[in-house]
Amino acid sequence: MVLPRLTTEFERAVAPVGAPRLSWIVDGAPDGWRQHSYELRLGEATYDVESRDSVLVPWPAPPLRSRQRVDASVRVKNANGELSDWSAPVVVEAGLLEAGDWTAEMIGTPLRSDESAPGPVWLFRRELDLTETPISARLYISAHGVFQAEIDGIAVSDELFAPGWSAYRKRLRVCAYDVTHLVAAGRNAIGVAVADGWWRGYLGGEDRRAHYGERIGLIAQLEVETASGRTTTGTSSHGWRVIAGPTRSADFYMGETFDARRAANFDGWSCAGFDDDTWAPCEPIELDRAVLVCHDGPPVRRTEEVVPVAVSATPSGASLVDYGQNLVGRVRLAGVSAAPGTEIVLRHAEVLTGGELCTEPLRSAKQTDSYIASGVGEETWEPEFTFHGFRYAEVRGLAREPEPSQVAAQVCHSDMRRTGWFTCSEPLLERLHENAVWSMRGNFVDVPTDCPQRDERLGWTGDIQVFAPTACFLYDCRTFLSSWLADLAADQMADGGIPFIVPNPRDPSQPFRTGIAAAWADAAVIVPSVLYERFGDVGILGRQLPSMTAFVDACRAAHGPRLNGELFQFGDWLDPAAPADDPAKSATDPVLIAGAYLVRSLSKLATACRLVGRQSDSDFYGELAGTYRQVWQERFYGTAGRLTNDTVTAHAIAITFGLLPGDAAIDRAGERLRELCDSAGHHIATGFVGTPLVCDALTQTGNLETAYKLLLQTECPSWLYPVTRGATTIWERWDSLRPDGQVNAASMTSFNHYALGAVVDWMHRVIGGLSPDEPGYRAVLVAPRPGGGLTSAGVSLETGYGTASVAWQLDGQEFSCDVEVAPNTTATLDLPIAGATREVVGSGRHRRTGRFAA
């Protein structure tokens, strides 16, 4: 039976816009099924549309008003007029969309905490009376800090670190929760715990706190609907009370300290009837309600529990817990016993030296949690307002070594839906792929960060720019990155420049160097373009177009008619040939990179303008791209027909960005690129810029086997060297752990950075053979290219239309390939089979076999 499965464009139940787009996957469709039209039923209205579209379909009705809810369902028709059943209904509800919807005030503690130290977790509470049984209830809530909310002792959500980190000065996210099941007629109580979080905690590796403000605050509005109508009650105001709770301090970098001896004084603190006479009245905090926006990204949650693979003793006598996997989250102590006042201390690190935790790479971050035991029975505790990056934990303060089950790790990250998988006959490549997955999980904690462990954890634009294609295959991160791009636009400089990090906690009146650093600032154009390519989201291009245009205009103004060599650039950051203490000093000319990215961003902006119907702007920026391409060639493509900068990155960027004058020049560049890779013994010779491009450049110029040799190299520097050294995530440096077993002593060393894992996108497209042929995988290209001695590989992707997958095997000279094509899509098969020609197939399963044609 053909039956569509309807979803809205947001993971959250309450939409941040009044006209959310809708998508559906058609289950039970026969092979070759294509949609001809669809009917959308929104409440009492039905809209009949002749269109193949089924992903991010525009809302056909007038936009919903704040708080308005409608039931939505869809049915679809094929070209023969056969109509499906209606989908199961989905409730579409709008949040508070206007500043005038708010009556609540921002409130805070009357105490001015010491700015130089992590603050305690503050407990806010308010009791209220309901005269009728609620039909529905919604809690709209945000904070200057991060919060956990409860009603009558029950958590309103399993979300962590809400409302997340945004461009607070212009965008403060609001979370909306359905709390109908938690409120009842009679006396109720709301309790909210608020910690420093990103608002007031340490940020930026500068030994500084309170970048955004010195006081934490809370804004909350409970709206209850009864048979008599809607009542707004329990709003944050002078009627709320506050006190410092049993958590003495909580900070993302430093960790959390909890005093269980004080916890008994707060039993039932979020329940009606609790005695709060000793609590202080809250004070109002000035807030421009125009900055309040509905949360539009996925929540951070605990997504997995990892039980240690070993518990042993360190040379210094502590208990050492090995989780077998570098992860991000925290440790839950369970069923431990200790005398009253005993401090149980947990320290976290990614690697060991001499059998002890190696904490030097953490710099000033302590990553230390402390639990002060109550001494009452067996005690269980998990930090609430911190997270750490670690494979190892050291435990001190227990009378005996803990059992593995007593110190299980809770993995925490933004709860995106996993969509992409990869397998192959080479276990080292499978582990490399898994390492990229774990690094993405660990660095997608509300914002896309560079690392999750040291005193940094910032939304570096360059990292996500190179990794975005890989990320969009592994997980459905469309709303995650869309939310981040809204912060990028909000934090954009007045002259159009882009901060190196987004959100930007630094004083906006004092830009950090420059806002047009190539490959970093270009994230403003490239990341929206990737979201369009991988998810078919033309809406993101329309929304981000002012930001994209302002950046490109700033960039070309700074460069002038030529290419300005005086601008700050990161260059090919972390080129393995660069000095350890100067990672920007790469072999590739930074002006070559800057000019190449200017052409690339101009070209992508021209495409975006065309797609949103601004053809004259598209023509303008397209012509500018051609002009700067000519300028680039005049400067970097010599009269001898070779690049003047003879590096792997220079050739890779010239080939993949389409900067060379004709096929002959491309062929010569490809041949020279192969020679450079061969002469380096197929060791990697690229940094952040060249690494995502080199395998594609080799593949495009007929040097596939060289690409495989580069990928399969196991000596340092290479992608697989960390894997052979036991890495379970992607390293920041090619030699974060040196061949002699010593941790790289540079001040910038992380064992969990996803940027160099950007090669995984090539693995999906070239080894696995699956890539989008139309935006959002509405049409796919199936073109696996076996090599490197691999005998099998497979990729699977949950697209917006359904499952698309490729699985191939090479048995001697016999090649076989199984392909799955999602309903309402097509696939072009370009298979390495002797005598085979490109063919287009419809949805369903297809198998092709034949003699392998290398």
Side-chain angles (χ1 to χ4, degrees):
M1 179 180 67
V2 176
L3 186 65
R5 187 163 19 110
L6 182 66
T7 58
T8 68
E9 66 173 305
F10 300 104
E11 290 90 347
R12 293 173 180 269
V14 177
V17 295
R21 293 171 295 177
L22 302 171
S23 301
W24 53 89
I25 292 174
V26 180
D27 294 325
D31 289 355
W33 188 90
R34 293 277 292 272
Q35 178 181 297
H36 173 266
S37 61
Y38 61 85
E39 289 181 56
L40 274 175
R41 186 164 61 194
L42 304 176
E44 300 300 319
T46 301
Y47 301 86
D48 196 341
V49 181
E50 185 175 321
S51 171
R52 274 193 60 206
D53 295 344
S54 60
V55 172
L56 299 175
V57 169
W59 186 260
L64 299 177
R65 303 179 304 277
S66 294
R67 310 178 183 88
Q68 186 179 357
R69 300 192 294 269
V70 299
D71 287 341
S73 56
V74 66
R75 61 180 179 180
V76 294
K77 184 186 296 184
N78 67 8
N80 296 326
E82 297 167 332
L83 195 62
S84 74
D85 288 338
W86 287 102
S87 69
V90 172
V91 177
V92 182
E93 177 178 347
L96 301 185
L97 306 179
E98 305 292 340
D101 295 325
W102 287 89
T103 58
E105 298 178 288
M106 176 72 79
I107 56 174
T109 167
L111 305 174
R112 271 61 172 177
S113 303
D114 179 8
E115 183 183 332
S116 65
V121 174
W122 294 93
L123 306 181
F124 294 76
R125 73 181 307 274
R126 167 74 187 273
E127 294 193 16
L128 53 108
D129 289 306
L130 296 178
T131 58
E132 297 181 59
T133 299
I135 297 172
S136 69
R138 299 290 184 269
L139 177 64
Y140 304 97
I141 182 169
S142 189
H144 286 165
V146 291
F147 71 81
Q148 288 279 357
E150 300 177 2
I151 294 180
D152 288 320
I154 301 175
V156 302
S157 171
D158 60 356
E159 182 171 1
L160 306 177
F161 314 139
W165 185 14
S166 57
Y168 290 133
R169 301 177 184 95
K170 297 182 179 178
R171 296 181 73 246
L172 178 61
R173 299 185 197 137
V174 173
C175 298
Y177 301 114
D178 183 347
V179 295
T180 309
H181 61 297
L182 298 180
V183 294
R187 195 73 168 169
N188 294 261
I190 306 174
V192 186
V194 186
D196 288 351
W198 294 282
W199 174 267
R200 192 183 169 275
Y202 281 105
L203 275 180
E206 300 173 331
D207 198 25
R208 280 187 56 202
R209 300 178 48 75
H211 287 265
Y212 294 100
E214 296 183 13
R215 300 176 66 191
I216 62 172
L218 169 71
I219 184 168
Q221 187 162 303
L222 177 65
E223 297 190 355
V224 177
E225 185 178 352
T226 67
S228 301
R230 179 180 293 109
T231 301
T232 299
T233 185
T235 58
S236 51
S237 65
H238 64 277
W240 286 62
R241 302 178 73 80
V242 65
I243 196 171
T247 302
R248 292 180 176 179
S249 64
D251 184 88
F252 287 145
Y253 289 1
M254 302 305 170
E256 192 165 317
T257 297
F258 183 85
D259 191 341
R261 297 170 302 178
R262 295 190 64 221
N265 299 329
F266 297 94
D267 285 346
W269 71 275
S270 63
C271 296
F274 179 83
D275 183 1
D276 60 9
D277 286 347
T278 60
W279 293 35
C282 294
E283 290 185 355
I285 297 176
E286 185 176 348
L287 176 71
D288 180 2
R289 293 188 179 96
V291 304
L292 297 174
V293 296
C294 296
H295 201 321
D296 52 355
V300 177
R301 291 191 175 103
R302 303 172 188 83
T303 63
E304 184 177 348
E305 181 173 271
V306 176
V307 177
V309 296
V311 180
S312 59
T314 68
S316 63
S319 294
L320 180 67
V321 185
D322 179 4
Y323 294 92
Q325 171 64 54
N326 196 14
L327 55 86
V328 172
R330 59 268 187 116
V331 175
R332 176 182 292 160
L333 289 173
V336 299
S337 299
T342 299
E343 186 174 16
I344 303 168
V345 179
L346 298 97
R347 298 169 63 229
H348 308 76
E350 296 182 297
V351 291
L352 304 175
T353 54
E356 303 280 358
L357 295 186
C358 179
T359 58
E360 286 78 7
L362 302 178
R363 302 190 301 214
S364 66
K366 301 301 182 185
Q367 288 212 135
T368 299
D369 298 328
S370 297
Y371 178 76
I372 302 172
S374 68
V376 180
E378 292 188 342
E379 303 181 50
T380 295
W381 174 74
E382 177 188 338
E384 284 190 282
F385 296 104
T386 193
F387 65 91
H388 310 298
F390 62 102
R391 172 175 171 168
Y392 301 95
E394 176 196 271
V395 184
R396 293 183 184 269
L398 292 176
R400 60 178 182 273
E401 190 174 273
E403 296 294 324
S405 61
Q406 292 180 295
V407 284
Q410 311 302 308
V411 178
C412 304
H413 59 84
S414 292
D415 192 11
M416 305 162 293
R417 180 173 58 94
R418 179 76 185 268
T419 52
W421 292 265
F422 171 87
T423 61
C424 74
S425 58
E426 174 50 70
L428 293 178
L429 288 183
E430 290 187 324
R431 183 67 244 190
L432 175 65
H433 188 272
E434 191 67 6
N435 289 0
V437 172
W438 276 98
S439 279
M440 179 177 173
R441 294 174 72 183
N443 282 291
F444 273 47
V445 181
D446 198 70
V447 299
T449 57
D450 58 327
C451 62
Q453 72 298 96
R454 69 180 179 226
D455 57 354
E456 196 165 358
R457 313 184 192 190
L458 303 173
W460 281 92
T461 50
D463 298 54
I464 191 57
Q465 185 268 127
V466 299
F467 192 73
T470 299
C472 291
F473 188 97
L474 297 176
Y475 284 88
D476 182 356
C477 56
R478 185 187 60 82
T479 58
F480 177 95
L481 291 178
S482 175
S483 180
W484 180 78
L485 285 168
D487 290 316
L488 181 147
D491 272 341
Q492 194 161 4
M493 301 171 188
D495 63 2
I498 304 297
F500 295 158
I501 53 177
V502 173
N504 179 25
R506 297 186 174 94
D507 184 346
S509 67
Q510 299 177 1
F512 181 49
R513 295 179 179 168
T514 176
I516 56 171
W520 272 251
D522 292 272
V525 174
I526 293 173
V527 175
S529 299
V530 171
L531 293 184
Y532 169 69
E533 177 189 76
R534 299 304 175 96
F535 296 107
D537 189 355
V538 71
I540 193 67
L541 298 179
R543 193 194 75 182
Q544 294 297 126
L545 199 64
S547 168
M548 298 164 72
T549 304
F551 161 67
V552 168
D553 287 346
C555 195
R556 64 188 182 89
H559 277 289
R562 308 302 293 171
L563 295 175
N564 187 346
E566 301 302 315
L567 302 172
F568 170 81
Q569 301 292 346
F570 287 104
D572 194 20
W573 185 258
L574 285 172
D575 175 342
D581 59 350
D582 192 0
K585 194 174 183 180
S586 64
T588 304
D589 187 339
V591 183
L592 178 150
I593 294 171
Y597 265 94
L598 176 56
V599 174
R600 185 172 179 82
S601 284
L602 282 164
S603 300
K604 288 191 175 295
L605 177 58
T607 299
C609 289
R610 175 179 56 80
L611 289 166
V612 301
R614 292 173 53 173
Q615 188 60 49
S616 61
D617 289 336
S618 177
D619 294 341
F620 174 74
Y621 288 110
E623 290 173 7
L624 275 175
T627 298
Y628 277 104
R629 183 180 291 108
Q630 182 65 36
V631 170
W632 189 94
Q633 290 174 3
E634 291 170 359
R635 183 160 181 171
F636 298 109
Y637 190 70
T639 56
R642 289 185 178 275
L643 291 178
T644 58
N645 193 194
D646 195 27
T647 69
V648 170
T649 290
H651 286 82
I653 205 169
I655 293 166
T656 57
F657 284 15
L659 296 168
L660 297 172
D663 292 342
I666 295 171
D667 291 341
R668 284 193 297 272
E671 178 61 20
R672 181 55 184 157
L673 177 59
R674 182 192 62 76
E675 292 172 354
L676 290 170
C677 292
D678 289 347
S679 64
H682 305 108
H683 291 93
I684 200 73
T686 53
F688 271 35
V689 170
T691 294
L693 308 175
V694 60
C695 286
D696 270 308
L698 288 165
T699 305
Q700 290 173 24
T701 54
N703 296 293
L704 180 66
E705 278 306 312
T706 302
Y708 270 105
K709 288 177 181 178
L710 199 66
L711 180 66
L712 293 169
Q713 172 64 257
T714 57
E715 296 176 349
C716 186
S718 68
W719 281 291
L720 294 185
Y721 164 72
V723 177
T724 66
R725 300 308 302 267
T728 60
T729 43
I730 302 296
W731 294 352
E732 178 179 24
R733 294 177 177 268
W734 298 109
D735 61 347
S736 288
L737 186 68
R738 297 189 185 281
D740 63 5
Q742 299 299 308
V743 173
N744 192 315
S747 63
M748 190 186 74
T749 299
S750 160
F751 292 87
N752 195 349
H753 256 67
Y754 52 59
L756 297 180
V759 70
V760 164
D761 184 57
W762 182 86
M763 293 165 59
H764 295 151
R765 292 181 289 102
V766 178
I767 300 179
L770 181 65
S771 59
D773 216 16
E774 290 182 17
Y777 296 87
R778 182 166 175 164
V780 300
L781 174 63
V782 177
R785 294 296 181 261
L790 270 62
T791 57
S792 66
V795 287
S796 179
L797 177 66
E798 293 301 312
T799 76
Y801 301 90
T803 302
S805 67
V806 181
W808 60 262
Q809 286 191 322
L810 185 59
D811 184 5
Q813 288 300 305
E814 290 300 311
F815 178 84
S816 62
C817 186
D818 292 283
V819 179
E820 182 177 3
V821 184
N824 205 27
T825 70
T826 61
T828 297
L829 307 185
D830 183 7
L831 302 177
I833 296 176
T837 58
R838 289 169 66 104
E839 62 172 316
V840 177
V841 298
S843 63
R845 297 180 180 274
H846 308 272
R847 181 175 177 81
R848 299 291 185 271
T849 61
R851 186 169 181 79
F852 177 61

